[in-house]
Amino acid sequence: MKKILKHKDIDVALLETKNNGVIIRIIEILNKEHMPIPSVREDGQIDEDRLDTWWLGRGISENRKEYKAVMQKLNNIGKEMLLHLSQGLSLSDHYWMQKENENLKWKDINFYENEFDRSLGKLFFGIETQNKKYNFNSPDVTSSGNLKKRWDITKDGKRVLIKTGSNPFMQEPLNEVLATIICRKLGIPHVPYKIKYRKNEPYSECINLTNINRELIDVNDIYYIKEPTFENDNLYKHLTKCCEKLKVGAYHEMINRMLILDYLMLNHDRHYKNFGVTRNSETLDDYKFAPIYDTGSSFFHNDKNFRIKLPEYAKERTICFDADLLKQLKYITDFSWIKLNVFDDTLKECKETIYQHLKNDENNKDNEARAKLLCNVLEKRFEQIKIITEKKLKKN
């Protein structure tokens, strides 16, 4: 089968694919400038293996909660066929595919301006359609991550992402709101999250950070525009070189802020798939560091109460620059932006939010004890950042 990789209405590459859409080979490059960033090596050559990895990486994670159960209801159709049937359309970037003889237009099919089916996303939440027929024209086919999530459209037309937490505490939605409070108070650009409840189960809701003109490229996808040299470079330095090559605006400032947030939130899950840059998808310029998002898997989210203390026990998760959150602070180039005068008010709002959430959460025992432990840790983290910041400012 021959298919054309598209970037909005631009023909990017003619491909030979299997019947389920898996890429076999590139027949012809039609617009090299618009090729997906991870498919282009530092020497400018196109890497077919990377292109294939990038395409398959758009599909739903097989580690997604309820993935196997949902696939069984879909006759084990598989993520590859889902991508094929949905044409790979996304609410993150503006790439998609069509058959060689098709003549579809971006304006008629993109999910920013057109309705999309929500039955697949609801299926992951245990909500089935009456006729049990599913339409795969949905951005839920191309949503990454392991937590249950789905896209929806509000009454005023906004695209929102709904995401649950994980057992046993379902704490990720609370953490997203805490990160939102901290970012708002400290002036850190961020995606604002709200917490809501369905059948006593909490979930977070946020408005899409991309739009019809700007797309998101996660750090994992820009990491290989320069070949890594791990013998001479650390991860932070390599990322800064990639940002320099793309001319990403104000990336130092945003990394500074992200590291402070992650230290406060004890975030051991800031990996290269949950932060990134945005760009103008037509002109391929105006790269900017994306606002902070996806901070849910942090702050002892799946730890029992006896683990909620400082110093925290060693985590096995990936840290974006270092295996220690405190050591990561060495990469911060400027502390002067930190508003120490809002710490007390920020901490107060966070504590009120923690207690209110755990009061509403009827599924967990010892809620008050957990709330007290979380508040004590957060208070200590703020004290530590205040001391570190004051020392840094005195030196300068």
Side-chain angles (χ1 to χ4, degrees):
M1 180 185 299
K2 291 183 180 179
K3 300 184 77 173
I4 296 176
L5 175 64
K6 308 275 289 188
H7 197 204
K8 285 192 170 179
D9 284 319
I10 296 172
D11 293 342
V12 179
L14 179 62
L15 309 171
E16 181 184 354
T17 72
K18 297 179 182 179
N19 289 335
N20 63 358
V22 173
I23 298 171
I24 298 174
R25 67 185 180 95
I26 299 174
I27 299 173
E28 182 183 0
I29 302 296
L30 304 174
N31 191 312
K32 187 175 180 180
E33 287 187 353
H34 282 264
M35 285 292 292
I37 284 179
S39 70
V40 184
R41 298 202 304 255
E42 186 176 4
D43 61 7
Q45 297 299 307
I46 304 300
D47 190 312
E48 287 189 351
D49 289 336
R50 288 189 191 175
L51 180 64
D52 182 56
T53 299
W54 167 82
W55 177 254
L56 292 179
R58 298 171 76 77
I60 297 173
S61 170
E62 294 175 353
N63 295 321
R64 174 80 56 85
K65 189 176 180 182
E66 307 297 336
Y67 177 85
K68 290 184 179 179
V70 169
M71 287 302 143
Q72 286 178 352
K73 291 181 179 180
L74 300 177
N75 298 318
N76 293 311
I77 190 173
K79 62 184 289 184
E80 295 86 357
M81 183 58 77
L82 281 176
L83 274 172
H84 169 64
L85 294 174
S86 71
Q87 299 181 285
L89 286 161
S90 170
L91 275 171
S92 294
D93 65 26
H94 303 156
Y95 286 97
W96 57 290
M97 276 199 200
Q98 67 174 358
K99 295 177 183 177
E100 184 184 26
N101 58 354
E102 287 182 313
N103 189 28
L104 301 173
K105 298 297 181 183
W106 168 255
K107 66 179 178 62
D108 297 322
I109 62 170
N110 75 78
F111 295 141
Y112 298 92
E113 299 173 301
N114 299 282
E115 284 282 336
F116 53 78
D117 190 82
R118 280 156 266 186
S119 58
L120 177 62
K122 289 181 178 180
L123 188 57
F124 276 92
F125 284 69
I127 307 170
E128 298 192 39
T129 59
Q130 291 184 348
N131 58 14
K132 295 191 177 181
K133 290 185 178 180
Y134 299 97
N135 185 327
F136 304 122
N137 181 47
S138 166
D140 292 313
V141 173
T142 49
S143 63
S144 62
N146 297 336
L147 292 177
K148 289 192 300 184
K149 62 182 68 173
R150 66 184 180 90
W151 285 100
D152 203 353
I153 303 176
T154 63
K155 292 181 180 180
D156 58 353
K158 292 184 175 65
R159 275 54 179 164
V160 295
L161 183 63
I162 297 168
K163 185 164 58 173
T164 65
S166 61
N167 292 324
F169 303 110
M170 307 295 286
Q171 190 178 304
E172 288 89 341
L174 168 64
N175 292 344
E176 297 287 17
V177 173
L178 294 177
T180 296
I181 294 169
I182 294 171
C183 287
R184 171 167 48 81
K185 293 289 189 178
L186 295 184
I188 300 174
H190 64 286
V191 175
Y193 288 78
K194 296 179 180 179
I195 190 168
K196 296 186 178 181
Y197 301 87
R198 178 180 178 270
K199 295 182 179 180
N200 293 325
E201 181 176 309
Y203 63 88
S204 64
E205 184 178 289
C206 68
I207 296 174
N208 189 18
L209 68 87
T210 65
N211 57 47
I212 193 68
N213 298 311
R214 296 194 69 81
E215 62 184 350
L216 174 70
I217 305 168
D218 62 45
V219 167
N220 190 66
D221 280 352
I222 71 171
Y223 198 77
Y224 288 95
I225 64 170
K226 293 188 69 66
E227 297 301 325
T229 55
F230 294 112
E231 294 179 356
N232 302 315
D233 268 334
N234 59 32
L235 298 177
Y236 175 81
K237 287 182 179 178
H238 182 78
L239 177 58
T240 61
K241 289 179 180 179
C242 294
C243 288
E244 290 289 345
K245 186 171 182 178
L246 291 175
K247 299 180 181 179
V248 179
Y251 69 86
H252 274 305
E253 289 86 341
M254 280 301 296
I255 291 176
N256 289 345
R257 287 153 176 77
M258 183 180 73
L259 292 179
I260 288 293
L261 174 68
D262 287 347
Y263 180 80
L264 289 171
M265 289 291 298
L266 292 98
N267 185 10
H268 292 267
D269 191 47
R270 183 69 70 193
H271 53 79
Y272 285 1
K273 294 285 288 182
N274 62 14
F275 70 108
V277 301
T278 65
R279 71 173 177 181
N280 184 305
S281 59
E282 294 185 0
T283 60
L284 303 181
D285 61 6
D286 193 25
Y287 282 88
K288 296 178 181 178
F289 216 91
I292 302 297
Y293 59 95
D294 200 358
T295 312
S297 297
S298 60
F299 202 41
F300 307 101
H301 72 286
N302 58 1
D303 292 328
K304 293 183 179 179
N305 286 6
F306 75 92
R307 292 283 195 184
I308 304 176
K309 59 183 178 180
L310 295 177
E312 71 269 32
Y313 74 101
K315 297 279 186 178
E316 295 180 356
R317 295 181 176 233
T318 302
I319 303 297
C320 58
F321 302 133
D322 202 296
D324 184 289
L325 290 173
L326 179 60
K327 290 180 180 177
Q328 270 196 161
L329 298 183
K330 67 187 175 186
Y331 296 117
I332 295 178
T333 58
D334 176 31
F335 284 80
S336 65
W337 60 272
I338 299 176
K339 304 174 182 178
L340 298 178
N341 62 324
V342 303
F343 273 24
D344 289 345
D345 189 46
T346 305
L347 188 60
K348 179 182 177 183
E349 187 173 345
C350 285
K351 286 182 176 181
E352 290 173 350
T353 302
I354 290 170
Y355 275 102
Q356 183 61 48
H357 165 70
L358 292 178
K359 181 180 178 181
N360 291 335
D361 185 2
E362 300 174 359
N363 298 313
N364 295 317
K365 298 179 181 179
D366 301 324
N367 286 343
E368 188 170 348
R370 187 172 184 85
K372 186 175 181 180
L373 289 167
L374 291 172
C375 289
N376 286 342
V377 168
L378 193 59
E379 184 172 351
K380 290 177 181 177
R381 277 314 232 208
F382 269 90
E383 290 173 356
Q384 290 167 345
I385 281 294
K386 185 175 182 179
I387 292 171
I388 292 170
T389 300
E390 288 174 339
K391 285 183 178 179
K392 290 289 185 179
L393 293 177
K394 284 182 180 179
K395 286 184 178 180
N396 297 331

